[in-house]
C-alpha cells in the first residue's frame, strides 16, 4: 500500500508539473500573440514558429528577445510592401539557424558588389577567349592567329563591366520595367563590345601581337585559377 501511495503521489506531482508547464506555455503564447498583434496573421504565426525554433535550439533568452525584436521591426515595415516572412527569410527553422550561427548564410545569398561582379565576369570572358583561341590554334591545320592580346584583354574588360551592369539591373527587383532595362543594357553591351572589337582589330600586329596556341591555353589556365581563388576569397556567387 505504501508503494502504491507513493506511486500515485508521484503521478499526481508529474501531472501537476505537466499542467503547470502547459499553462506557462499557453501564457507565453498569448503574450507573444499580443506582442505581434500588428502583424498579419501569417507573419505573426511565423514569429511564433521562429520563437519555438530558437527555444528548441536552446538559444540564449536575452539574445533571442533581441533577435525577435529586430525581425519584428523589419517585418512590420516589409509587410506593408506586400512581403511575407516566409518570402523574406525562408522557413522559420532556417531563419533560426541563421540567427544562431551568424550572418554567413545570409552573405551567401547577397549579390556581389559591382566591381566584384565585373572582375569575376571579366576573368571568365578572358578564360573563354584564351581557351577558344588556344584550342582552335592547336587543332587547326593552318596557322591560325588569335585576335591579339590587346583585343582579348580589352574586350574581356568591356564584357565584364557590361555583364556586371546587366546583373545589377536584374537583381534590383524593386525597379520598374526591370526586364526591359536589362535587355537594353545587354543590347548596349553587344553594340559596344562589337564596336570595340572592330576598332582594336585595326591596331597593327606589332602593337597587338597574337599569342601562340600554347600561350593562350596557359593564360586560360592562369585566369581560371585566379578567378577561382578570388571567388573563394570574396565569396562571389555565380549566377
Amino acid at each position: 500500500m505504501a508503494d502504491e501511495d507513493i506511486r500515485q503521489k508521484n503521478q499526481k506531482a508529474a501531472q501537476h508539473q505537466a499542467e503547470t508547464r502547459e499553462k506557462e506555455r499557453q501564457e507565453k503564447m498569448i503574450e507573444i500573440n499580443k506582442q505581434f498583434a500588428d502583424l498579419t496573421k501569417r507573419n505573426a504565426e511565423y514569429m511564433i514558429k521562429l520563437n519555438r525554433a530558437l527555444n528548441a535550439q536552446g538559444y540564449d533568452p536575452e539574445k533571442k528577445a533581441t533577435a525577435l525584436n529586430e525581425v519584428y521591426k523589419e517585418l512590420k515595415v516589409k509587410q506593408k510592401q506586400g512581403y511575407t516572412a516566409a518570402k523574406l527569410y525562408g522557413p522559420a527553422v532556417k531563419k533560426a539557424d541563421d540567427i544562431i550561427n551568424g550572418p554567413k548564410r545570409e552573405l551567401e545569398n547577397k549579390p556581389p558588389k559591382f566591381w566584384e561582379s565585373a572582375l569575376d565576369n571579366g576573368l571568365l570572358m578572358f578564360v573563354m577567349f584564351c581557351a577558344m583561341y588556344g584550342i582552335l590554334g592547336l587543332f587547326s591545320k593552318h596557322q591560325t592567329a588569335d585576335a591579339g592580346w590587346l583585343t582579348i584583354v580589352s574586350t574581356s574588360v568591356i564584357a565584364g563591366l557590361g555583364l556586371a551592369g546587366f546583373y545589377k539591373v536584374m537583381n534590383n527587383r524593386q525597379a520598374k520595367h526591370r526586364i526591359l532595362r536589362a535587355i537594353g543594357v545587354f543590347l548596349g553591351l553587344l553594340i559596344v563590345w562589337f564596336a570595340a572589337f572592330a576598332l582594336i582589330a585595326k591596331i597593327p600586329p606589332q602593337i597587338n601581337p597574337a599569342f601562340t596556341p600554347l600561350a593562350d591555353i596557359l593564360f586560360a589556365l592562369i585566369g581560371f585559377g585566379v578567378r577561382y581563388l578570388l571567388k573563394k576569397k570574396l565569396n562571389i556567387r555565380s549566377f
Side-chain angles (χ1 to χ4, degrees), residues 89-107:
Y89 311 118
V93 174
K94 178 185 178 300
K95 180 59 179 174
D97 193 49
D98 290 343
I99 291 172
I100 294 171
N101 295 321
K104 182 178 180 181
R105 295 189 179 185
E106 294 177 5
L107 290 174

Side-chain angles (χ1 to χ4, degrees), residues 40 46-47 50 57 88 108 128 156 161 180 182 202 228 238:
T40 63
Y46 184 93
M47 294 299 297
L50 179 58
Q57 297 194 47
L88 278 172
E108 289 177 358
M128 290 175 62
S156 296
L161 292 170
L180 292 177
K202 295 181 180 181
Y228 176 81
S238 298

Side-chain angles (χ1 to χ4, degrees), residues 16-212:
H16 178 71
Q17 289 177 356
E19 291 174 352
T20 302
R21 285 196 296 266
E22 179 63 21
K23 184 178 179 181
E24 290 176 351
R25 189 187 69 82
Q26 291 179 358
E27 288 175 351
K28 287 181 179 179
M29 293 299 294
I30 293 172
E31 183 180 346
I32 291 171
N33 278 316
K34 289 180 179 179
Q35 182 181 355
F36 305 129
D38 50 354
L39 294 178
T40 63
K41 181 180 179 181
R42 185 178 298 178
N43 288 340
E45 289 175 353
Y46 184 93
M47 294 299 297
I48 294 171
K49 290 178 182 178
L50 179 58
N51 180 68
R52 288 175 182 169
L54 291 170
N55 286 336
Q57 297 194 47
Y59 195 49
D60 181 82
E62 292 185 6
K63 292 181 179 180
K64 183 193 72 172
T66 302
L68 287 175
N69 189 48
E70 290 176 355
V71 174
Y72 163 69
K73 287 181 178 179
E74 183 179 19
L75 192 54
K76 189 177 177 181
V77 174
K78 291 292 185 180
Q79 73 176 7
K80 294 178 181 178
Q81 302 171 10
Y83 288 94
T84 62
K87 186 176 180 180
L88 278 172
Y89 311 118
V93 174
K94 178 185 178 300
K95 180 59 179 174
D97 193 49
D98 290 343
I99 291 172
I100 294 171
N101 295 321
K104 182 178 180 181
R105 295 189 179 185
E106 294 177 5
L107 290 174
E108 289 177 358
N109 296 323
K110 186 178 179 181
K113 297 177 182 177
F114 180 85
W115 70 268
E116 293 175 344
S117 180
L119 180 60
D120 180 54
N121 287 290
L123 284 170
L124 176 62
M125 297 306 295
F126 178 80
V127 170
M128 290 175 62
F129 286 139
C130 288
M132 179 184 70
Y133 285 120
I135 293 171
L136 288 175
L138 285 176
F139 291 95
S140 177
K141 294 181 180 180
H142 304 284
Q143 184 66 28
T144 304
D146 63 22
W149 72 271
L150 188 58
T151 306
I152 292 176
V153 172
S154 58
T155 51
S156 296
V157 170
I158 293 170
L161 292 170
L163 288 172
F166 172 78
Y167 290 132
K168 184 176 181 180
V169 173
M170 287 297 294
N171 283 321
N172 185 10
R173 300 185 182 278
Q174 304 299 323
K176 294 182 179 179
H177 309 298
R178 178 170 60 96
I179 301 299
L180 292 177
R181 291 177 63 186
I183 293 173
V185 171
F186 186 74
L187 292 177
L189 166 63
L190 289 179
I191 293 171
V192 173
W193 190 84
F194 281 118
F197 193 96
L199 290 173
I200 298 171
K202 295 181 180 181
I203 297 176
Q206 294 81 4
I207 302 175
N208 185 26
F211 296 136
T212 64

